[in-house]
Amino acid sequence: MNGFLTGTVGALVEAWTQLRIGKLRVLLSLVGVGVAVAAMTFVIAFGQVSAAVQAELMQQWNGRPGTVMLNVTPSSEDSDGTGPGGTGPDTPAQAGGGQAADPTALSAAEKVDKAYTDFVERYKISHWATNERTTLRLSLGGMPTNVQTQVVSGGYGILHRTQVLQGRWFSADDEDDLSPSILVSQGVLDALGVPELHAPLRVRGLAPVETTYTIVGVLKGDGSVSCYSDPETGEDVCDAPMTAMVLSEPYYRLLPSTVERSAPTLEVWAGVGKGSEMGDLMKDHFNAIFGHNAASAWNNEFDSMEEFDRTFTLVVTSAGVFIMVLGALGLINISMVTVRQRIHEIGVRRSFGATSRRVFFSIMLESVVATVVAGVIGIGVAIVAMRFVPLEVLFNGYTVSNRPPFPMSAALIGLVAASGVGALAGIIPAVVAVRIRPIDAIRF
């Protein structure tokens, strides 16, 4: 074992020495290899970083991987009071036949809410949330303005990794407030004439209920803008979109009974790889309550994305290796010339007991060390280049909160590819060197 290590280290030192002697011609022959490694590593790294940013965006839209979303559409029969929370045929409201319906009877949306709560408690689910889209009419700068709003429960921020640039996310204390807590986009804050949120801010709500909302935070946008044509000047004007999130508990309490609301979406985080199992459980559970095909569920685990990433990496690596092989042809020529110039030296070494294996590996390692050096330089260039890639511009202004680090897998692929090409480029000169007879080499 010690002999093998000593021989390997000696061959590496010898290869490095030979590279230093012929560094100019080796440098010229390795330009193509270095450029190919830099390009291949950069493209792979950019693809992986882009995938990480896309994953962050997907999590904000669809939740963390393993999140199951369920919608329930109660049947008309359930809406009449036969579902969970309904009055039923034997309740006092219906026993007299022809009497008015019980004013305390739950609406269809309230029945779904209650079923959601019972399901979460029954299966002891710790990460869940509800989500419903609506439109709030707010008084912004004295102007009534429609704001696209999501009515969410407190767990929504954890499932979707919602980022708050200013202020805070909803807390448990907000559920008892008479003024529903609300998070708004920067566009809403601009319309109020407030450049930055330093403290909770009140805003008047006009519809669907007249109330006062308390702005507790500013949401991070996705970089999108809404543009329209100014009727007076005819110029295109682009503003940040106006969106908001309101906490569900206090908001629903204030809604008048005349407002008909839809059933919210239930989101449950089942864990990576368990989305299908949880989806089947949720559909069976709620179909049993609200009727056949009343519940529909889907999860956000997309195997096609992972397959695309693997295919992309394979294609880019193959193209990079092919380019490096073309660049290594010049290295083969240089190595062949070097071997012919060192025939006498090889003969002397063989006469002093150098084995064929030692000569073979010393010649081959010269190419390997050369391409590894070129690969390291190319990887360094790729790392520097990745630091200057404007991800925000490429993703339509989306601000990357945590810029992904340079993927080590991309650097490893580049280094392995460079080493492999160096080994292939060094085999032919090494075989030629081994086949030289010592007596002929000494006489050369």
Side-chain angles (χ1 to χ4, degrees), residues 288-379:
I289 297 175
F290 294 101
H292 183 62
N293 290 332
S296 59
W298 67 97
N299 65 76
N300 61 358
E301 294 177 340
F302 303 104
D303 296 334
S304 58
M305 292 295 295
E306 298 180 0
E307 185 65 26
F308 173 79
D309 292 340
R310 287 193 293 267
T311 304
F312 174 81
T313 302
L314 179 61
V315 171
V316 173
T317 302
S318 301
V321 170
F322 177 74
I323 296 174
M324 280 190 287
V325 169
L326 296 180
L329 294 178
L331 182 60
I332 294 177
N333 294 330
I334 295 297
S335 299
M336 292 295 295
V337 172
T338 302
V339 168
R340 291 186 177 277
Q341 292 177 347
R342 296 172 58 192
I343 288 179
H344 185 75
E345 173 195 337
I346 294 172
V348 172
R349 292 177 58 190
R350 293 291 300 275
S351 65
F352 276 91
T355 62
S356 299
R357 186 177 63 178
R358 176 64 182 272
V359 172
F360 178 87
F361 279 105
S362 63
I363 299 299
M364 188 183 71
L365 284 177
E366 290 181 18
S367 297
V368 174
V369 172
T371 54
V372 167
V373 172
V376 170
I377 295 174
I379 292 171

XYZ file of all heavy atoms in Angstrom, residues 288-379:
703
model
N -67.455 11.248 1.706
C -68.382 10.554 2.601
C -69.306 11.532 3.320
O -70.419 11.169 3.708
C -67.599 9.729 3.623
N -68.840 12.765 3.486
C -69.648 13.757 4.198
C -70.567 14.525 3.255
O -71.755 14.702 3.517
C -68.734 14.742 4.954
C -67.919 14.005 6.024
C -69.553 15.863 5.595
C -66.906 14.877 6.731
N -70.006 14.974 2.128
C -70.745 15.884 1.247
C -71.278 15.216 -0.023
O -71.858 15.895 -0.859
C -69.849 17.067 0.859
C -69.485 17.947 2.023
C -68.250 17.837 2.630
C -70.389 18.872 2.516
C -67.907 18.641 3.707
C -70.061 19.684 3.586
C -68.817 19.572 4.192
N -71.042 13.947 -0.193
C -71.574 13.268 -1.363
C -70.500 12.872 -2.353
O -69.370 13.387 -2.343
N -70.837 11.975 -3.240
C -69.901 11.444 -4.220
C -69.393 12.553 -5.136
O -70.166 13.366 -5.654
C -70.589 10.347 -5.039
C -69.684 9.689 -6.035
N -68.551 8.988 -5.664
C -69.747 9.643 -7.393
C -67.958 8.535 -6.755
N -68.661 8.917 -7.816
N -68.068 12.578 -5.326
C -67.395 13.557 -6.187
C -67.576 14.998 -5.719
O -67.403 15.939 -6.507
C -67.880 13.445 -7.638
C -67.401 12.165 -8.311
O -66.362 11.620 -7.953
N -68.160 11.695 -9.292
N -67.908 15.185 -4.453
C -68.011 16.549 -3.927
C -66.640 17.151 -3.653
O -66.482 18.372 -3.661
C -68.845 16.561 -2.650
N -65.636 16.299 -3.404
C -64.296 16.768 -3.060
C -63.319 16.457 -4.189
O -63.377 15.391 -4.806
C -63.822 16.119 -1.766
N -62.443 17.393 -4.455
C -61.371 17.196 -5.433
C -60.060 17.643 -4.790
O -60.015 18.694 -4.142
C -61.638 17.999 -6.714
O -61.744 19.385 -6.421
N -59.033 16.831 -4.951
C -57.743 17.118 -4.311
C -56.621 16.930 -5.309
O -56.707 16.108 -6.218
C -57.532 16.204 -3.095
N -55.585 17.706 -5.147
C -54.369 17.553 -5.954
C -53.174 18.001 -5.122
O -53.310 18.790 -4.190
C -54.478 18.359 -7.250
C -54.502 19.845 -7.075
C -53.467 20.721 -7.177
C -55.647 20.646 -6.748
N -53.887 22.004 -6.943
C -55.220 21.990 -6.687
C -56.988 20.353 -6.512
C -56.078 23.037 -6.381
C -57.842 21.415 -6.212
C -57.389 22.723 -6.158
N -52.023 17.451 -5.441
C -50.814 17.805 -4.701
C -49.818 18.479 -5.642
O -49.973 18.445 -6.861
C -50.186 16.574 -4.032
C -49.676 15.567 -5.033
O -48.629 15.749 -5.647
N -50.429 14.474 -5.233
N -48.804 19.096 -5.064
C -47.853 19.892 -5.849
C -46.530 19.178 -6.079
O -45.505 19.826 -6.289
C -47.586 21.227 -5.148
C -46.969 21.043 -3.762
O -46.771 19.923 -3.305
N -46.669 22.136 -3.088
N -46.540 17.859 -6.022
C -45.317 17.103 -6.296
C -45.276 16.755 -7.779
O -46.099 15.968 -8.263
C -45.275 15.837 -5.443
C -45.167 16.132 -3.957
C -45.204 14.867 -3.125
O -45.687 13.832 -3.620
O -44.760 14.919 -1.982
N -44.319 17.371 -8.478
C -44.229 17.186 -9.920
C -42.930 16.460 -10.247
O -41.852 17.047 -10.206
C -44.279 18.527 -10.646
C -45.523 19.322 -10.332
C -45.464 20.399 -9.469
C -46.734 18.965 -10.890
C -46.607 21.122 -9.179
C -47.882 19.692 -10.603
C -47.817 20.771 -9.744
N -43.033 15.163 -10.568
C -41.850 14.391 -10.923
C -41.262 14.844 -12.252
O -40.070 14.657 -12.504
C -42.195 12.895 -11.010
C -42.636 12.331 -9.667
O -42.221 12.898 -8.643
O -43.393 11.346 -9.659
N -42.092 15.441 -13.105
C -41.602 15.866 -14.419
C -40.528 16.937 -14.292
O -39.622 17.011 -15.113
C -42.767 16.387 -15.262
O -43.423 17.461 -14.603
N -40.637 17.794 -13.253
C -39.622 18.835 -13.066
C -38.277 18.216 -12.736
O -37.240 18.628 -13.270
C -40.069 19.783 -11.952
C -41.286 20.622 -12.308
S -40.964 21.772 -13.661
C -39.755 22.842 -12.878
N -38.272 17.218 -11.858
C -37.017 16.563 -11.508
C -36.443 15.823 -12.708
O -35.235 15.830 -12.936
C -37.249 15.601 -10.338
C -37.715 16.283 -9.056
C -37.921 15.295 -7.942
O -37.706 14.073 -8.185
O -38.295 15.717 -6.835
N -37.318 15.181 -13.491
C -36.849 14.483 -14.678
C -36.261 15.466 -15.686
O -35.240 15.179 -16.334
C -38.025 13.726 -15.308
C -37.626 12.860 -16.499
C -36.700 11.725 -16.118
O -36.747 11.288 -14.943
O -35.921 11.287 -16.987
N -36.871 16.627 -15.818
C -36.347 17.649 -16.724
C -34.971 18.121 -16.263
O -34.068 18.309 -17.088
C -37.308 18.835 -16.790
C -36.770 20.000 -17.570
C -36.796 20.001 -18.958
C -36.229 21.099 -16.914
C -36.297 21.071 -19.686
C -35.728 22.173 -17.630
C -35.758 22.160 -19.014
N -34.794 18.326 -14.953
C -33.503 18.768 -14.435
C -32.418 17.730 -14.719
O -31.293 18.080 -15.108
C -33.589 19.031 -12.929
C -34.462 20.237 -12.612
O -34.668 21.067 -13.524
O -34.945 20.342 -11.473
N -32.748 16.448 -14.535
C -31.756 15.400 -14.803
C -31.406 15.344 -16.287
O -30.231 15.211 -16.649
C -32.296 14.047 -14.323
C -32.314 13.885 -12.822
C -32.547 12.434 -12.443
N -33.879 12.004 -12.808
C -34.932 12.035 -11.996
N -34.785 12.489 -10.769
N -36.116 11.615 -12.395
N -32.419 15.447 -17.136
C -32.167 15.416 -18.582
C -31.351 16.616 -19.015
O -30.426 16.492 -19.836
C -33.499 15.378 -19.348
O -34.269 14.255 -18.899
C -33.271 15.273 -20.837
N -31.672 17.772 -18.464
C -30.936 18.989 -18.801
C -29.468 18.858 -18.422
O -28.564 19.183 -19.204
C -31.568 20.183 -18.077
C -30.809 21.474 -18.245
C -30.959 22.230 -19.394
C -29.954 21.928 -17.250
C -30.265 23.419 -19.550
C -29.265 23.115 -17.387
C -29.411 23.866 -18.548
N -29.194 18.369 -17.201
C -27.815 18.201 -16.762
C -27.070 17.200 -17.628
O -25.905 17.416 -17.991
C -27.788 17.741 -15.287
O -28.461 18.711 -14.483
C -26.360 17.595 -14.793
N -27.749 16.098 -18.011
C -27.114 15.084 -18.838
C -26.765 15.638 -20.216
O -25.665 15.403 -20.733
C -28.039 13.873 -18.964
C -27.531 12.717 -19.837
C -26.236 12.159 -19.264
C -28.587 11.628 -19.959
N -27.683 16.388 -20.823
C -27.438 16.933 -22.159
C -26.307 17.937 -22.128
O -25.400 17.905 -22.976
C -28.732 17.575 -22.706
C -28.445 18.350 -23.992
C -29.785 16.511 -22.967
N -26.323 18.835 -21.153
C -25.266 19.851 -21.065
C -23.922 19.202 -20.783
O -22.894 19.580 -21.371
C -25.615 20.887 -19.973
C -24.447 21.835 -19.747
C -26.849 21.669 -20.366
N -23.889 18.206 -19.900
C -22.628 17.523 -19.607
C -22.090 16.807 -20.832
O -20.883 16.864 -21.123
C -22.839 16.516 -18.463
O -23.332 17.211 -17.313
C -21.531 15.844 -18.100
N -22.962 16.147 -21.571
C -22.526 15.443 -22.780
C -21.957 16.416 -23.803
O -20.917 16.150 -24.416
C -23.707 14.665 -23.383
O -24.230 13.732 -22.459
N -22.632 17.543 -23.997
C -22.132 18.539 -24.947
C -20.790 19.094 -24.489
O -19.861 19.281 -25.300
C -23.148 19.664 -25.112
N -20.664 19.348 -23.181
C -19.401 19.870 -22.671
C -18.264 18.884 -22.813
O -17.137 19.255 -23.169
N -18.533 17.613 -22.538
C -17.487 16.592 -22.682
C -17.066 16.464 -24.143
O -15.868 16.315 -24.452
C -17.991 15.240 -22.134
C -17.024 14.123 -22.489
C -18.175 15.313 -20.622
N -18.026 16.541 -25.061
C -17.693 16.459 -26.486
C -16.780 17.617 -26.896
O -15.791 17.421 -27.619
C -18.981 16.484 -27.313
C -18.745 16.481 -28.797
C -18.331 15.326 -29.446
C -18.923 17.636 -29.544
C -18.107 15.319 -30.814
C -18.706 17.644 -30.907
C -18.296 16.474 -31.547
N -17.093 18.807 -26.416
C -16.239 19.962 -26.732
C -14.859 19.794 -26.118
O -13.843 20.119 -26.733
C -16.906 21.255 -26.244
C -18.213 21.485 -27.002
C -15.975 22.453 -26.428
C -19.017 22.656 -26.484
N -14.820 19.247 -24.904
C -13.515 19.042 -24.260
C -12.690 17.993 -24.995
O -11.463 18.109 -25.063
C -13.714 18.642 -22.794
C -14.004 19.813 -21.875
S -13.954 19.346 -20.138
C -15.454 18.415 -20.024
N -13.344 16.984 -25.518
C -12.620 15.965 -26.290
C -11.981 16.602 -27.515
O -10.823 16.308 -27.866
C -13.557 14.815 -26.685
C -12.894 13.900 -27.704
C -13.953 14.011 -25.453
N -12.719 17.508 -28.167
C -12.139 18.210 -29.315
C -10.943 19.066 -28.885
O -9.925 19.118 -29.575
C -13.210 19.092 -29.978
C -14.402 18.356 -30.602
C -15.372 19.360 -31.212
C -13.921 17.365 -31.669
N -11.098 19.718 -27.736
C -9.972 20.510 -27.237
C -8.803 19.651 -26.811
O -7.643 20.074 -26.890
N -9.082 18.422 -26.354
C -8.012 17.538 -25.899
C -7.201 16.961 -27.059
O -6.108 16.419 -26.834
C -8.597 16.403 -25.066
N -7.709 17.045 -28.297
C -6.932 16.555 -29.441
C -5.613 17.309 -29.569
O -4.580 16.727 -29.916
C -7.759 16.704 -30.728
C -9.013 15.823 -30.820
C -9.763 16.113 -32.120
C -8.631 14.342 -30.745
N -5.691 18.599 -29.280
C -4.440 19.364 -29.294
C -3.495 18.904 -28.206
O -2.273 18.862 -28.411
N -4.041 18.536 -27.052
C -3.198 18.038 -25.966
C -2.550 16.706 -26.350
O -1.405 16.435 -25.977
C -4.035 17.883 -24.696
C -3.300 17.412 -23.442
C -2.200 18.392 -23.068
C -4.284 17.241 -22.286
N -3.257 15.863 -27.102
C -2.677 14.588 -27.548
C -1.465 14.844 -28.445
O -0.414 14.205 -28.301
C -3.742 13.753 -28.284
C -4.842 13.327 -27.313
C -3.109 12.521 -28.933
C -5.967 12.570 -27.981
N -1.617 15.790 -29.354
C -0.497 16.108 -30.251
C 0.707 16.612 -29.470
O 1.850 16.213 -29.728
C -0.934 17.152 -31.286
C -1.996 16.618 -32.227
O -2.027 15.419 -32.510
N -2.857 17.488 -32.711
N 0.451 17.489 -28.500
C 1.550 18.007 -27.683
C 2.203 16.876 -26.892
O 3.442 16.802 -26.776
C 1.034 19.102 -26.731
C 0.545 20.309 -27.538
C 2.114 19.522 -25.755
C 1.619 20.994 -28.335
N 1.375 15.977 -26.358
C 1.930 14.870 -25.578
C 2.752 13.926 -26.455
O 3.803 13.427 -26.024
C 0.778 14.095 -24.906
O 0.060 14.923 -24.024
N 2.306 13.683 -27.674
C 3.068 12.830 -28.593
C 4.427 13.451 -28.912
O 5.460 12.769 -28.945
C 2.267 12.608 -29.876
C 1.014 11.756 -29.691
S 1.382 10.054 -29.211
C 2.230 9.476 -30.691
N 4.431 14.760 -29.148
C 5.706 15.449 -29.411
C 6.615 15.372 -28.196
O 7.833 15.123 -28.299
C 5.432 16.911 -29.808
C 6.749 17.694 -29.901
C 4.688 16.972 -31.127
N 6.000 15.541 -27.000
C 6.803 15.481 -25.769
C 7.403 14.097 -25.569
O 8.569 13.957 -25.164
C 5.924 15.849 -24.561
O 5.366 17.153 -24.762
C 6.723 15.839 -23.278
N 6.631 13.058 -25.847
C 7.135 11.697 -25.702
C 8.312 11.451 -26.641
O 9.320 10.835 -26.258
C 5.999 10.685 -25.937
C 6.555 9.265 -26.075
C 4.991 10.739 -24.785
N 8.192 11.908 -27.883
C 9.307 11.716 -28.835
C 10.557 12.456 -28.388
O 11.669 11.981 -28.587
C 8.867 12.185 -30.227
C 7.808 11.290 -30.851
C 7.505 11.696 -32.276
N 6.530 10.792 -32.889
C 6.838 9.629 -33.434
N 8.095 9.207 -33.447
N 5.890 8.858 -33.961
N 10.380 13.628 -27.772
C 11.532 14.371 -27.282
C 12.154 13.737 -26.046
O 13.329 13.980 -25.738
C 11.125 15.811 -26.973
C 10.753 16.636 -28.199
C 10.289 18.033 -27.837
O 10.016 18.319 -26.668
N 10.191 18.903 -28.842
N 11.378 12.892 -25.350
C 11.864 12.298 -24.102
C 12.173 10.806 -24.267
O 12.257 10.089 -23.278
C 10.799 12.482 -23.016
C 10.523 13.941 -22.663
C 9.333 14.055 -21.737
N 9.538 13.277 -20.510
C 8.581 13.016 -19.635
N 7.346 13.412 -19.882
N 8.840 12.316 -18.539
N 12.325 10.352 -25.489
C 12.602 8.922 -25.709
C 13.886 8.509 -24.982
O 13.939 7.454 -24.324
C 12.697 8.628 -27.216
C 11.306 8.692 -27.844
C 13.297 7.245 -27.458
C 11.302 8.440 -29.333
N 14.935 9.310 -25.134
C 16.201 8.952 -24.474
C 16.007 8.919 -22.954
O 16.521 8.005 -22.274
C 17.282 9.969 -24.857
C 18.625 9.613 -24.313
N 19.401 8.608 -24.848
C 19.334 10.111 -23.258
C 20.534 8.512 -24.161
N 20.514 9.424 -23.197
N 15.316 9.884 -22.413
C 15.073 9.916 -20.963
C 14.309 8.682 -20.513
O 14.630 8.071 -19.473
C 14.281 11.181 -20.610
C 13.825 11.253 -19.154
C 12.761 12.302 -18.920
O 12.661 13.254 -19.716
O 12.015 12.149 -17.928
N 13.290 8.282 -21.308
C 12.497 7.104 -20.956
C 13.364 5.853 -20.983
O 13.252 4.964 -20.116
C 11.305 6.973 -21.922
C 10.330 8.142 -21.720
C 10.573 5.648 -21.725
C 9.230 8.213 -22.757
N 14.251 5.767 -21.993
C 15.136 4.610 -22.061
C 16.052 4.526 -20.857
O 16.290 3.427 -20.305
N 16.597 5.650 -20.433
C 17.476 5.654 -19.253
C 16.697 5.227 -18.011
O 17.191 4.434 -17.187
C 18.101 7.052 -19.060
C 18.856 7.126 -17.734
C 19.022 7.385 -20.206
N 15.487 5.711 -17.851
C 14.668 5.345 -16.692
C 14.360 3.847 -16.696
O 14.402 3.201 -15.645
C 13.371 6.152 -16.676
C 13.558 7.643 -16.403
C 12.236 8.385 -16.470
N 11.276 7.826 -15.504
C 10.003 8.152 -15.473
N 9.534 8.997 -16.383
N 9.210 7.620 -14.578
N 14.028 3.325 -17.879
C 13.729 1.896 -17.955
C 14.969 1.068 -17.620
O 14.874 0.001 -16.983
C 13.240 1.544 -19.367
C 11.896 2.154 -19.736
C 10.772 1.528 -18.919
N 10.670 0.106 -19.145
C 10.001 -0.456 -20.143
N 9.365 0.323 -21.018
N 9.939 -1.756 -20.275
N 16.146 1.527 -18.047
C 17.383 0.776 -17.763
C 17.734 0.786 -16.285
O 18.427 -0.108 -15.794
C 18.535 1.372 -18.574
O 18.808 2.694 -18.166
N 17.257 1.806 -15.568
C 17.514 1.870 -14.127
C 16.395 1.228 -13.308
O 16.340 1.389 -12.101
C 17.701 3.325 -13.685
C 19.094 3.840 -13.880
C 19.463 4.480 -15.060
C 20.059 3.675 -12.902
C 20.737 4.951 -15.250
C 21.339 4.145 -13.087
C 21.691 4.783 -14.266
N 15.509 0.502 -13.969
C 14.519 -0.288 -13.238
C 13.114 0.262 -13.216
O 12.234 -0.311 -12.535
N 12.847 1.353 -13.924
C 11.474 1.877 -13.963
C 10.575 0.883 -14.686
O 10.903 0.427 -15.787
C 11.445 3.232 -14.664
N 9.479 0.526 -14.082
C 8.572 -0.455 -14.678
C 7.718 0.197 -15.769
O 7.600 1.426 -15.851
C 7.648 -1.047 -13.610
O 6.840 0.005 -13.048
C 8.453 -1.699 -12.482
N 7.132 -0.656 -16.587
C 6.258 -0.148 -17.648
C 5.051 0.582 -17.055
O 4.596 1.602 -17.591
C 5.784 -1.302 -18.534
O 6.871 -1.945 -19.146
N 4.543 0.052 -15.955
C 3.404 0.701 -15.319
C 3.751 2.082 -14.819
O 2.964 3.028 -14.987
C 2.902 -0.157 -14.154
C 1.623 0.362 -13.521
C 1.122 -0.551 -12.425
N 2.090 -0.624 -11.325
C 1.893 -1.332 -10.212
N 0.788 -2.070 -10.096
N 2.797 -1.358 -9.261
N 4.948 2.243 -14.246
C 5.363 3.556 -13.749
C 5.506 4.546 -14.902
O 5.047 5.701 -14.812
C 6.691 3.422 -12.994
C 7.278 4.753 -12.519
C 6.375 5.431 -11.509
N 6.909 6.710 -11.093
C 7.759 6.872 -10.078
N 8.177 5.796 -9.385
N 8.187 8.057 -9.729
N 6.074 4.104 -16.001
C 6.227 4.990 -17.154
C 4.846 5.335 -17.732
O 4.584 6.491 -18.091
C 7.121 4.330 -18.223
C 7.134 5.161 -19.508
C 8.530 4.140 -17.696
N 3.998 4.325 -17.806
C 2.658 4.544 -18.365
C 1.899 5.602 -17.560
O 1.355 6.558 -18.118
C 1.889 3.225 -18.374
C 0.485 3.337 -18.879
C 0.218 3.241 -20.234
C -0.580 3.547 -18.001
C -1.083 3.351 -20.709
C -1.875 3.661 -18.470
C -2.122 3.558 -19.829
N 1.858 5.443 -16.251
C 1.095 6.371 -15.426
C 1.736 7.750 -15.367
O 1.040 8.764 -15.276
C 0.922 5.810 -14.006
C -0.182 4.806 -13.901
C 0.091 3.455 -13.802
C -1.512 5.203 -13.922
C -0.926 2.528 -13.711
C -2.532 4.272 -13.835
C -2.246 2.929 -13.718
N 3.057 7.830 -15.403
C 3.708 9.146 -15.370
C 3.359 9.955 -16.614
O 3.113 11.167 -16.532
C 5.225 8.990 -15.236
O 5.762 8.326 -16.366
N 3.336 9.288 -17.795
C 2.989 9.993 -19.027
C 1.511 10.359 -19.039
O 1.121 11.473 -19.412
C 3.337 9.136 -20.260
C 4.836 8.836 -20.299
C 2.897 9.836 -21.534
C 5.711 10.049 -20.402
N 0.634 9.403 -18.625
C -0.788 9.671 -18.651
C -1.174 10.755 -17.644
O -2.029 11.608 -17.921
C -1.578 8.395 -18.356
C -3.090 8.568 -18.556
S -4.048 7.103 -18.120
C -3.873 7.129 -16.347
N -0.537 10.733 -16.475
C -0.880 11.719 -15.454
C -0.500 13.131 -15.856
O -1.054 14.097 -15.321
C -0.221 11.357 -14.120
C -0.877 10.208 -13.347
C -0.104 9.901 -12.080
C -2.319 10.558 -12.994
N 0.452 13.262 -16.788
C 0.758 14.598 -17.270
C -0.468 15.220 -17.925
O -0.789 16.397 -17.699
C 1.916 14.540 -18.272
C 3.266 14.212 -17.645
C 4.373 14.188 -18.680
O 4.155 14.759 -19.776
O 5.443 13.627 -18.400
N -1.182 14.439 -18.730
C -2.403 14.940 -19.357
C -3.506 15.164 -18.321
O -4.240 16.156 -18.378
C -2.895 13.958 -20.423
O -1.960 13.836 -21.461
N -3.620 14.235 -17.364
C -4.662 14.376 -16.343
C -4.445 15.629 -15.506
O -5.376 16.427 -15.284
C -4.708 13.122 -15.442
C -5.692 13.326 -14.289
C -5.092 11.896 -16.246
N -3.195 15.825 -15.046
C -2.905 17.008 -14.238
C -3.147 18.277 -15.045
O -3.686 19.272 -14.539
C -1.455 16.958 -13.722
C -1.083 18.272 -13.047
C -1.288 15.804 -12.736
N -2.781 18.251 -16.319
C -2.967 19.434 -17.154
C -4.450 19.776 -17.300
O -4.862 20.936 -17.150
C -2.336 19.203 -18.526
N -5.283 18.770 -17.580
C -6.707 19.047 -17.752
C -7.379 19.384 -16.424
O -8.336 20.174 -16.400
C -7.417 17.838 -18.388
O -7.145 16.657 -17.612
C -6.954 17.634 -19.819
N -6.888 18.808 -15.319
C -7.442 19.167 -14.015
C -7.157 20.632 -13.702
O -8.035 21.366 -13.216
C -6.891 18.249 -12.908
C -7.200 18.815 -11.530
C -7.478 16.848 -13.030
N -5.923 21.062 -13.990
C -5.588 22.477 -13.783
C -6.483 23.361 -14.644
O -7.033 24.381 -14.179
C -4.101 22.726 -14.100
C -3.800 24.220 -14.085
C -3.210 22.003 -13.096
N -6.659 22.971 -15.905
C -7.549 23.735 -16.781
C -8.978 23.712 -16.255
O -9.696 24.715 -16.320
C -7.487 23.172 -18.200
N -9.404 22.550 -15.719
C -10.750 22.447 -15.176
C -10.955 23.325 -13.961
O -11.995 23.975 -13.826
N -9.964 23.369 -13.072
C -10.063 24.214 -11.879
C -10.167 25.682 -12.282
O -10.977 26.449 -11.724
C -8.858 23.976 -10.956
C -8.823 25.014 -9.833
C -8.894 22.576 -10.374
N -9.365 26.084 -13.256
C -9.433 27.470 -13.726
C -10.802 27.745 -14.352
O -11.421 28.794 -14.111
C -8.307 27.754 -14.737
C -6.944 27.637 -14.041
C -8.468 29.134 -15.362
C -5.762 27.763 -14.982
N -11.304 26.794 -15.164
C -12.619 26.975 -15.772
C -13.721 27.055 -14.743
O -14.648 27.871 -14.866
N -13.652 26.225 -13.690
C -14.658 26.267 -12.625
C -14.601 27.603 -11.899
O -15.636 28.194 -11.560
C -14.439 25.099 -11.641
C -14.752 23.767 -12.341
C -15.305 25.257 -10.401
C -14.358 22.555 -11.532
